[in-house]
Amino acid sequence: MPVLDLEIGGGEFITMAGPCSVETEFQLLATASHLCRSGARILRGGAFKPRSSPYAFQGHGLEGLKMLARAREQSGLAIVTEVMSETDVPMVAEYADILQIGTRNMENYSLLEAVARCGRPVLLKRGMTARISDLLRSAQFILDNGNPNVILCERGIRTFETAMRNTFDVAAIALLKQISHLPVIADPSHAAGHRDLVPALARIAVAAGADGLLVEVHPNPDKAWSDGDQSLDFDGFDDMMADLAPWLALRERTLPLREAVGSRSLEAVG
Ligand code: PEP
Ligand code: MN
């Protein structure tokens, strides 16, 4: 799947990284400039934030999109950012290279229809209570409405387990790679909920066959306006990337995971 000069789901493992929320120009530009030197290819950052509390920071909106565009200019990184409302889709598509559909909107069909028609690739996050078949149905809805460029994202699901923020469904990554031709990205940050666990989940995602990662990184996580607990600082990001290298090298020596495509059909998951 082409995004600027990148190919997602091709030979290169693609890391998307950046803050949960776009906060200040300084925060974003400092993060982008560090990330592009440390191997990330796409900058993430929310300008529209779906928050559990109405009193929490809701994002800078258009101002945040403009900051993202300036960060792309300065760093060369492509931009992925969330869109929450169908009326905002044309505006977000003007600034972003990939539109993110958040977990809370995976089944918002008017939003899915709008992103299907926007001409940009879509990063579709799995709903926190969605089955794999539900995720694939939402992806199919976008495809059927004219946009073949859908990236699936496993970000953890809700289970009875409360030790982590979510339960990272690593089997979903392996299964999606078998039954779907779409690229699969893993988000270890929202799955873990705590930064200490993020590198381990990232390694597991590589082993399961993910095409890339979506990771939260902040210059000063303890001061982050959202999701600080699960955000890596710059050194933490560099350590994670260094740790991933041997796992990626190991994967290249194993049978190409793509060979399994088509061996199980969508019917296999209902
Ligand atoms: C995010 O990426 O910051 C986010 C809100 O993700 P999710 O929709 O998976 O909770
Ligand atoms: Mn977040």
Side-chain angles (χ1 to χ4, degrees):
M1 184 171 305
V3 177
L4 298 185
D5 61 339
L6 304 172
E7 206 182 38
I8 300 180
E12 189 190 350
F13 186 80
I14 300 284
T15 302
M16 313 178 180
C20 179
S21 302
V22 174
E23 299 169 5
T24 65
E25 184 134 350
F26 175 78
Q27 167 237 22
L28 193 65
L29 295 181
T31 307
S33 112
H34 182 85
L35 292 174
C36 72
R37 282 181 274 118
S38 297
R41 306 288 258 143
I42 299 180
L43 178 67
R44 64 145 291 145
F48 296 92
K49 294 306 303 174
R51 303 303 300 281
S52 307
S53 161
Y55 306 109
F57 175 58
Q58 309 287 318
H60 287 307
L62 176 59
E63 265 321 299
L65 296 176
K66 290 182 177 168
M67 289 190 226
L68 286 164
R70 282 196 284 277
R72 172 178 48 213
E73 232 169 79
Q74 207 169 88
S75 65
L77 295 170
I79 300 295
V80 57
T81 195
E82 178 163 356
V83 59
M84 289 171 55
S85 145
E86 67 218 71
T87 53
D88 292 336
V89 167
M91 178 173 71
V92 178
E94 201 183 311
Y95 291 92
D97 302 295
I98 303 173
L99 271 59
Q100 175 175 322
I101 298 295
T103 191
R104 296 161 187 80
N105 276 315
M106 191 205 79
E107 289 180 305
N108 179 342
Y109 293 103
S110 49
L111 180 60
L112 298 184
E113 195 175 330
V115 294
R117 301 191 192 288
C118 79
R120 297 273 186 209
V122 175
L123 179 79
L124 179 65
K125 286 193 150 197
R126 180 179 181 183
M128 59 184 90
T129 58
R131 293 183 171 153
I132 292 167
S133 55
D134 301 324
L135 172 64
L136 288 172
R137 267 189 281 273
S138 288
Q140 191 66 45
F141 185 84
I142 300 172
L143 265 58
D144 287 349
N145 278 280
N147 189 342
N149 294 324
V150 177
I151 303 158
L152 305 171
C153 180
E154 164 59 37
R155 48 79 71 203
I157 53 173
R158 250 185 208 165
T159 66
F160 56 81
E161 179 58 73
T162 55
M164 285 80 59
R165 183 173 180 183
N166 289 287
T167 296
F168 191 37
D169 187 2
V170 71
I173 297 170
L175 180 60
L176 288 168
K177 290 297 297 174
Q178 283 190 1
I179 63 177
S180 167
H181 68 287
L182 299 171
V184 179
I185 295 290
D187 174 349
S189 308
H190 289 86
H194 199 280
R195 71 181 73 104
D196 291 349
L197 259 184
V198 168
L201 299 196
R203 288 195 295 275
I204 294 165
V206 169
D211 294 296
L213 294 177
L214 181 72
V215 190
E216 287 186 336
V217 179
H218 192 283
N220 187 353
D222 292 334
K223 292 270 176 347
W225 298 5
S226 60
D227 285 351
D229 288 350
Q230 67 197 32
S231 298
L232 298 171
D233 63 13
F234 294 170
D235 287 346
F237 179 75
D238 292 353
D239 290 347
M240 181 198 77
M241 293 297 272
D243 282 356
L244 285 183
W247 294 76
L248 286 164
L250 184 66
R251 198 169 88 170
E252 274 159 27
R253 290 204 295 274
T254 61
L255 280 180
L257 289 147
R258 290 250 165 231
E259 278 187 7
V261 168
S263 60
R264 295 182 70 187
S265 66
L266 178 52
E267 284 73 53
V269 294

